[in-house]
Amino acid sequence: MRRTHLIGALVGVFALALSAVAVASPQFKQTVKVKYSTAKAKKATGLSVNLSATDPGAVPPGAQPGVKTLKITFSGAKVNFKAAKVCKLSKDQAESCPKNTKIGTGTASANLVGTDTATGQKSVVPDLAQTVAAYTAKGGIYLVVKGTTLPTTAILKASLSKKGVLSVNVERDLPVIPGGNKIVLTDFAVKIKKVVKGKGKKAKAFITTPKCGKSKKFTVKTNFVYDDGSKKNINVKQKCKA
């Protein structure tokens, strides 16, 4: 990952002395859409994840909190890394992961938020468009987020357990911008394809759906912690069948 490209491009557009953490207004809203590619229980599956945060009450528009950490629990699902080719490169080299380790694509949008110490006024460079590529990694997934509005690159390392718990330290993995300005990911959408190794009874799936219980619904739990200290827990349900 070329962090200097990200830093240089953003500073050139948005040169502020120091930033302050934005605080959510009462109108802040986090939406979550998560869906398995199959509704059948205990089957190989892909995933779609769509996250969006808006705050109509933010002043100026776009000066909203960013996600600090995110945990997504695919309750009852199973993950088997033996079913997928795994990128052995380090996180900083994730852009060069082999094509056969690429398991997903998507899009994202970001704001650059800061505060001018001379005037105390917040400023925002909004809607910086990004593309997303997902690669399997040891114990998790690399999410390579590349800018299309500006030549930006950031790499998120999401850990993924065998029990389907995905955790991302967003604040850790977003580059620090000179002057302390904050990159805020406002929208993030990625589709993970179904990955299967082998055939018949010997087939192994990278992700397997949970069993379909009495509720006839799969449940996915999301836990957000934002950089202003606030938290949100959102559960998503999907109809299922045995």
Side-chain angles (χ1 to χ4, degrees), residues 172-195:
R172 176 200 65 197
D173 290 342
L174 288 180
V176 176
I177 305 302
N181 302 303
K182 299 287 292 186
I183 300 171
V184 177
L185 287 173
T186 57
D187 297 89
F188 193 93
V190 65
K191 286 187 176 181
I192 304 298
K193 65 182 181 180
K194 180 174 72 174
V195 178

Side-chain angles (χ1 to χ4, degrees), residues 3 21 36 38 44 53 99 111 117-118 123 187 189 220:
R3 290 183 178 232
V21 173
Y36 295 103
T38 178
K99 290 182 179 180
N111 295 345
T117 52
S123 298
D187 297 89
V220 177

